[in-house]
Amino acid sequence: MEQVTTPSPAQKHSFVRKTNNIGERIIERCVKIIGGVAVVLIFLILLFVLREALPLLMGAFSQPRTAQSSVESSLSDTLNLKPEVYNPDVILSEHQAPEEFAPEVYNPDVSVPATILAEKVNTRNEADGDHITLANILGTIWQPVSTMPKFGIMPLVIGTAKTTFVAIFIGAPLGILAALYAAFFAPRRLREVIKPMVEILAGFPSVVIGFFCLLYVGSALQNLFGFDFRLNAFVGGIGLAIAVIPIVFTITEDTLSAVPKSLLEASLAMGATQWESAYKVMLPAAFPGVFAAVLLGIGRAFGETMIALMATGNAAMVSTSIGDPVRTFSATIGAEMGEVIWGSAHYSILFFLGVLLFIVSFTLNAVTELFVKERLAKKLQGG
Amino acid sequence: MSTKRLIGIFAIGAATVAVIAIAGLVFSTMGTFLVKGLPNITWQLLSEAPRNNNTEGGIFPAIYGTTLLVLVMSILGVPIGTITAIYLNEYTRAGAVMPRVIRFAVNTLAGVPSIVFGLFGLGFFVQFLGVGLDKTFGNTEAIWAKPALLWASATLAALTLPVVIVSVEEALKNVPQEMREGSLALGATRWQTIWKIVLPNSTTGILTGSILAIGRSAGEVAPILFTGVVYSLPQLPDGISSQFMHLGYHLFVLSTQSPDVDKTLPLQYATTLVLLMLTFTLNFAATFIRSRIRSKQFR
Amino acid sequence: MSKKITETKIEANDLCVYYGAKQALHRISIDLFEREVTAFIGPSGCGKSTFLRSINRMNDLVPTARVTGNLYIDGVDIYHSSVDVVELRKRVGMVFQKSTPFPKSIYDNVAFGPRLNGITDRTELDRIVEESLINAALFDEVKDRLDSSAMGLSGGQQQRLCIARAVAVNPSILLMDEPCSALDPISTAKVEELILELKKQYTIVIVTHNMQQAARVSEYTAFFYMGHLVEYDKTRKIFTNPSKKETEDYVTGRFG
């Protein structure tokens, strides 16, 4: 080794010089900012869905509105470009704003030209009337498009509850039992088949499931049970169950395989049979996970749109029979948002339904995350 | 003893029946769509535009629109999802507050109903960003402030984001920690380590995870209902501000809104099969890449 | 034995390392000499690896790790805020217990460090790669397949590749964390031979479980026990006439 390196003092101490690696820092900063996008997205979703629903909420809890207040709130409705200010007076004073668009987005001076405003106000007055009271919203009639629109969400609540119930009642046991089978009873070869099979089921777009129910399940069940209507809550529930099964199966299966194998071995060693170990030892050990699976399944069934839209019959009626057609929250949004006048009361109430959907899904998820998963971790790891 | 055995038989039997039911479901649906759809897939169907109020002709614009939608969505969603996953896996410690908050947000996002994403797309992209863009550029008529391919893609990207994040993180976790240490010990910075060691060794995982996520949302209809899809178009979309047709929505319209549903039944089956082929091709492609590369990576 | 003038290369002064609430190192004070091989011995969990990893600040990667006291390299306190960790690690190379070649070609593995330093000239890279592989006594074995994957090498070759990779950035110190523990005796012999060769150029600190190895390759030996530096002396003295009871017990195999 002839190359004997004798580092000069400068070279020796080169690590002291703090290399101000600007590129590295910029990249790091960018990654951090983008990393927070999911959090921002949650807030944006809540904010913007709520924002479109807000005018209605403000009006809904007051007396039937006067013509003046109706104009005010519809005006503020129209000015979607300005989220932070909700001050009708300011907006009204801008009523004579010049008919040109200023460059800045957030500038309150920028308003929709007066002519457009006037138009909006007109259509608005025709469309909604002054009937959006709390009583109206809690009513039992959903008739958003009529001269006397009724926005009673009770039929939708009942409809959503019925389909969700059917979906979970059918989907959850199937998913859990299939997961148990895959984990404990299936021969190795078969297990390798079951998982991809469920993945195929999970890969079906919901519109395809809806189509399948529309074409086959409806008629089949009508022949079987003699329903009065071909499409009804039960058919929709089955469609939703098809969407729920993969979720319940996957999460249950994951949890079951996370339970230490030693537990199963211990149970078997004590003379318990395979099925006793599976049902009495492993399933209880994995219970929080199974519970989480069911909760997420409920969330899916509750929020699913296309299947509900295509297979439930879409009639907003108050009835207790699962053989009657129903209309769910999400299907209502899906079906009516396309034809609604932007900014009208009907438009707002559809967003209000969206807010409810968001709140329920958020709550379900929070319960799963903070309560159930924590508990599972404790149970499986001790402590 | 005999009752116990009876219960045992019942217990195992119930589980078996559940699996058989699911298998029956999968095979009957797939079978039905294959048998009824395959004969109706013709070159004419794949290459022509619908005619006569969607009752005749092909579905080319819907195929085209879906493909475009998926492409733009991937361009928007995959990089952001990947960077978020990099942040979670490479820049933060497991117990710290920020990653926990982000993980919670990601899981919440995954549970938000797709129709709410649709509302969000309408409220945020179309009504807020779109209106803002039009103001900024001084457009006298709405160019951005209306449902468009871009907004639908962005909405769908938001919906896909949590899935992408989770699967990319999975891929990053598969890179051995020793490799990162080896690189850092050589005087590589954190980003150099990510760029030269972590990412090259997880490309496959990132790719397959992203493709799987994209495959899942390619068939989603609810988020695009009010953000850009239309049931019929005079011409193909000519840019990201155009509206577009979509296979899933097309199927929905044909099967529920069409004046003569029975007449278009062959068309519906064919559309279903094409849609399924699109999503499952993406799935199989991902699985295939994964199995191919897994065998030769890390000795 | 020709006496050569030994200079202090690394100096620890009351160095303590904590992992969370647990103290892993207790007030370590030690001088390690330039171009000598120093071996760290001691039972598992005694803190020898922790000390090794604090010399190039790899402990920084452990989220809960905290360091007090001072550690000087060439008289510079490396835990001072003006020190750039990245630059430090370029000066202090490290070889791990588990050989960690990157899944790249042999050439790219060795060129990884130089490329980080901005060397892109192909002839210059070729020179560095060749020199480093020669220094790591690996060149003859791989010169015909520099472009094939490093994952195809044997365990011993992989470990020497990691040494080549480490010397390619021209460090002045080489840290070795049980470099032979996963190797067969023949590969171990080769690596040990290499260490003796490398000490002409580098200050080497080696953590080992194998006392014969420490005796064979090192000039100085430090015995760590329960996070304390129990004894530090010439290797010969440690193995033949240790001054502490614990050291004697350990080197004679009574515990550990």
Side-chain angles (χ1 to χ4, degrees):
Chain A
M1 303 294 130
E2 42 291 312
Q3 177 233 9
V4 175
T5 40
T6 333
S8 65
Q11 195 188 347
K12 261 181 167 177
H13 300 155
S14 66
F15 58 76
V16 179
R17 270 181 284 119
K18 194 142 192 158
T19 42
N20 268 325
N21 201 336
I22 297 171
E24 177 84 14
R25 277 201 210 156
I26 292 175
I27 288 171
E28 200 155 315
R29 183 56 54 86
C30 288
V31 169
K32 275 178 188 167
I33 291 171
I34 295 176
V37 92
V39 182
V40 176
L41 208 51
I42 287 284
F43 280 110
L44 282 181
I45 290 176
L46 184 61
L47 186 72
F48 278 88
V49 177
L50 201 58
R51 192 177 76 126
E52 304 292 320
L54 214 55
L56 170 106
L57 291 178
M58 308 291 266
F61 300 104
S62 67
Q63 293 303 306
R65 290 183 289 174
T66 64
Q68 175 63 22
S69 71
S70 163
V71 169
E72 278 175 14
S73 87
S74 65
L75 278 174
S76 47
D77 252 2
T78 333
L79 292 171
N80 292 325
L81 37 144
K82 200 172 50 58
E84 69 279 359
V85 188
Y86 186 77
N87 186 342
D89 292 336
V90 173
I91 294 154
L92 274 182
S93 71
E94 301 307 329
H95 204 243
Q96 288 86 21
E99 278 206 30
E100 56 194 37
F101 293 103
E104 277 147 312
V105 183
Y106 288 101
N107 191 337
D109 288 349
V110 184
S111 74
V112 180
T115 49
I116 297 180
L117 282 183
E119 237 174 72
K120 284 257 181 180
V121 172
N122 286 338
T123 53
R124 171 68 182 264
N125 279 342
E126 279 166 28
D128 62 348
D130 295 321
H131 308 283
I132 323 155
T133 58
L134 186 60
N136 190 338
I137 285 182
L138 292 180
T140 54
I141 299 171
W142 177 265
Q143 241 167 34
V145 188
S146 79
T147 44
M148 292 280 282
K150 293 192 173 61
F151 298 114
I153 62 170
M154 282 325 280
L156 309 184
V157 173
I158 293 170
T160 311
K162 273 203 278 191
T163 49
T164 308
F165 179 77
V166 173
I168 288 302
F169 196 72
I170 295 171
L174 278 180
I176 294 169
L177 286 172
L180 272 175
Y181 185 82
F184 301 116
F185 306 130
R188 264 256 306 284
R189 284 256 181 82
L190 198 56
R191 192 177 309 165
E192 313 272 294
V193 179
I194 294 175
K195 274 188 163 189
M197 205 174 68
V198 175
E199 263 171 45
I200 288 181
L201 201 59
F204 278 135
S206 53
V207 67
V208 171
I209 300 177
F211 178 56
F212 181 74
C213 293
L214 185 69
L215 276 188
Y216 294 100
V217 181
S219 312
L221 291 182
Q222 195 173 26
N223 292 337
L224 202 61
F225 296 112
F227 291 136
D228 292 341
F229 304 91
R230 200 170 66 85
L231 297 179
N232 52 48
F234 194 60
V235 177
I238 290 198
L240 295 175
I242 299 177
V244 164
I245 288 171
I247 294 179
V248 175
F249 175 90
T250 311
I251 302 176
T252 307
E253 222 266 341
D254 281 354
T255 324
L256 285 176
S257 56
V259 177
K261 267 271 171 296
S262 53
L263 210 58
L264 178 67
E265 282 158 10
S267 165
L268 290 173
M270 283 168 68
T273 60
Q274 184 80 8
W275 73 264
E276 279 178 311
S277 311
Y279 278 86
K280 293 182 180 172
V281 178
M282 300 304 271
L283 194 57
F287 178 74
V290 178
F291 189 56
V294 175
L295 282 186
L296 293 179
I298 291 175
R300 174 72 200 266
F302 181 79
E304 175 54 53
T305 307
M306 297 318 285
I307 299 174
L309 199 51
M310 294 166 86
T312 56
N314 270 326
M317 49 197 273
V318 177
S319 118
T320 47
S321 161
I322 55 164
D324 283 338
V326 292
R327 165 167 266 202
T328 69
F329 272 39
S330 46
T332 306
I333 303 173
E336 294 175 13
M337 187 56 91
E339 281 116 47
V340 86
I341 299 152
W342 287 5
S344 67
H346 187 190
Y347 172 88
S348 284
I349 199 156
L350 292 181
F351 270 94
F352 173 67
L353 297 182
V355 172
L356 293 181
L357 281 176
F358 181 89
I359 291 172
V360 172
S361 71
F362 185 90
T363 313
L364 280 174
N365 187 68
V367 169
T368 339
E369 284 292 310
L370 302 177
F371 181 67
V372 182
K373 281 194 183 168
E374 205 95 314
R375 191 161 267 211
L376 182 69
K378 266 189 194 153
K379 206 165 176 177
L380 293 186
Q381 283 144 28
Chain B
M1 187 62 198
S2 73
T3 40
K4 190 179 152 187
R5 276 192 66 172
L6 219 61
I7 297 171
I9 290 166
F10 179 75
I12 298 175
T16 318
V17 167
V19 170
I20 292 171
I22 293 174
L25 195 62
V26 171
F27 286 114
S28 64
T29 44
M30 281 306 263
T32 308
F33 293 133
L34 273 176
V35 169
K36 301 252 184 172
L38 219 44
N40 293 309
I41 292 188
T42 57
W43 177 244
Q44 185 202 10
L45 176 97
L46 297 176
S47 63
E48 284 183 12
R51 287 191 314 271
N52 199 3
N53 201 12
N54 282 348
T55 54
E56 289 165 29
I59 52 169
F60 176 70
I63 299 175
Y64 184 80
T66 311
T67 315
L68 219 55
L69 176 77
V70 168
L71 275 179
V72 180
M73 169 191 83
S74 316
I75 293 168
L76 293 174
V78 172
I80 294 181
T82 306
I83 292 173
T84 307
I86 288 176
Y87 174 69
L88 284 175
N89 202 54
E90 306 292 325
Y91 280 100
T92 61
R93 317 292 188 199
V97 177
M98 204 46 200
R100 284 180 66 181
V101 171
I102 293 177
R103 287 218 165 77
F104 180 78
V106 169
N107 286 329
T108 306
L109 219 48
V112 171
S114 52
I115 192 80
V116 177
F117 276 96
L119 292 178
F120 162 71
L122 177 60
F124 179 66
F125 292 122
V126 180
Q127 305 259 49
F128 181 72
L129 278 188
V131 169
L133 276 177
D134 276 347
K135 301 275 174 199
T136 316
F137 295 118
N139 299 329
T140 43
E141 60 181 293
I143 290 176
W144 298 108
K146 62 176 176 48
L149 179 67
L150 176 66
W151 303 139
S153 307
T155 308
L156 218 48
L159 177 87
T160 317
L161 197 63
V163 194
V164 174
I165 292 173
V166 170
S167 47
V168 171
E169 234 201 310
E170 212 59 48
L172 295 178
K173 281 199 181 109
N174 280 336
V175 177
Q177 191 60 30
E178 293 93 27
M179 247 177 232
R180 291 186 185 88
E181 290 197 350
S183 165
L184 290 169
L186 287 171
T189 62
R190 201 180 278 276
W191 178 252
Q192 282 170 329
T193 303
I194 294 168
W195 187 247
K196 295 190 171 173
I197 299 296
V198 179
L199 286 181
N201 288 308
S202 53
T203 321
T204 326
I206 295 174
L207 214 64
T208 50
S210 305
I211 295 175
L212 281 174
I214 292 162
R216 280 287 157 82
S217 26
E220 281 282 352
V221 178
I224 59 173
L225 275 177
F226 346 112
T227 50
V229 79
V230 284
Y231 68 91
S232 170
L233 264 188
Q235 72 242 5
L236 290 178
D238 53 2
I240 50 172
S241 68
S242 313
Q243 298 189 312
F244 61 98
M245 289 179 74
H246 180 270
L247 285 167
Y249 187 64
H250 197 65
L251 172 63
F252 168 66
V253 170
L254 286 182
S255 62
T256 60
Q257 323 270 297
S258 171
D260 188 353
V261 172
D262 289 336
K263 187 184 167 197
T264 61
L265 217 47
L267 214 52
Q268 296 172 32
Y269 282 117
T271 309
T272 308
L273 196 58
V274 173
L275 177 62
L276 283 178
M277 282 200 289
L278 179 82
T279 56
F280 283 119
T281 307
L282 286 171
N283 273 324
F284 289 138
T287 320
F288 180 71
I289 299 174
R290 187 156 53 191
S291 64
R292 271 294 293 280
I293 309 289
R294 187 173 276 172
S295 52
K296 72 175 192 190
Q297 222 186 359
F298 306 130
R299 78 203 70 168
Chain C
M1 184 177 155
S2 68
K3 189 83 185 140
K4 62 181 174 179
I5 304 142
T6 49
E7 249 180 77
T8 300
K9 181 77 180 174
I10 303 165
E11 181 191 345
N13 203 347
D14 280 346
L15 190 83
C16 303
V17 177
Y18 303 84
Y19 292 133
K22 186 180 164 280
Q23 187 166 5
L25 281 184
H26 297 264
R27 300 170 65 101
I28 304 294
S29 296
I30 190 171
D31 284 4
L32 306 177
F33 301 112
E34 185 153 20
R35 292 191 204 168
E36 294 287 6
V37 178
T38 307
F40 290 176
I41 59 169
S44 298
C46 66
K48 56 193 191 306
S49 280
T50 302
F51 184 53
L52 192 80
R53 291 168 72 92
S54 57
I55 297 175
N56 67 347
R57 290 183 59 174
M58 286 302 273
N59 278 336
D60 290 15
L61 300 178
V62 182
T64 54
R66 197 161 52 82
V67 176
T68 63
N70 306 95
L71 207 154
Y72 303 93
I73 293 178
D74 295 327
V76 177
D77 185 354
I78 62 161
Y79 282 93
H80 192 270
S81 61
S82 69
V83 168
D84 185 346
V85 186
V86 168
E87 289 304 313
L88 169 74
R89 289 185 189 143
K90 284 176 184 164
R91 302 270 132 233
V92 186
M94 186 160 196
V95 177
F96 296 89
Q97 177 175 7
K98 195 173 159 223
S99 60
T100 55
F102 304 133
K104 299 166 176 271
S105 71
I106 294 170
Y107 185 97
D108 287 340
N109 259 281
V110 183
F112 185 82
R115 280 181 176 142
L116 289 179
N117 291 337
I119 299 173
T120 49
D121 180 46
R122 186 74 192 190
T123 48
E124 172 76 356
L125 279 178
D126 285 350
R127 189 187 64 75
I128 295 175
V129 169
E130 184 177 337
E131 209 165 74
S132 308
L133 285 171
I134 289 173
N135 278 356
L138 188 63
F139 187 69
D140 290 337
E141 291 165 55
V142 299
K143 63 185 172 199
D144 301 325
R145 47 174 176 144
L146 288 176
D147 288 326
S148 57
S149 170
M151 306 312 262
L153 296 175
S154 74
Q157 287 172 326
Q158 286 189 357
Q159 197 58 295
R160 278 179 284 146
L161 178 69
C162 288
I163 294 173
R165 197 174 67 183
V167 301
V169 287
N170 196 19
S172 57
I173 299 171
L174 268 185
L175 308 176
M176 298 186 169
D177 194 355
E178 300 185 35
C180 302
S181 67
L183 301 184
D184 60 84
I186 294 170
S187 304
T188 301
K190 277 190 176 164
V191 172
E192 282 178 10
E193 213 175 293
L194 174 62
I195 291 172
L196 291 174
E197 197 59 47
L198 287 169
K199 78 169 202 180
K200 292 174 185 162
Q201 292 180 55
Y202 306 99
T203 305
I204 295 174
V205 186
I206 178 171
V207 164
T208 179
H209 264 296
N210 180 333
M211 254 139 345
Q212 285 75 25
Q213 182 173 60
R216 282 194 298 265
V217 300
S218 70
E219 197 71 19
Y220 292 90
T221 295
F223 172 60
F224 286 79
Y225 184 56
M226 310 256 299
H228 292 272
L229 174 62
V230 176
E231 191 170 355
Y232 172 52
D233 214 321
K234 289 260 187 192
T235 301
R236 181 188 303 251
K237 173 130 192 319
I238 294 276
F239 282 98
T240 53
N241 184 24
S243 39
K244 295 270 170 59
K245 176 91 168 52
E246 294 99 318
T247 316
E248 190 178 347
D249 286 350
Y250 183 71
V251 296
T252 53
R254 241 167 276 171
F255 80 94

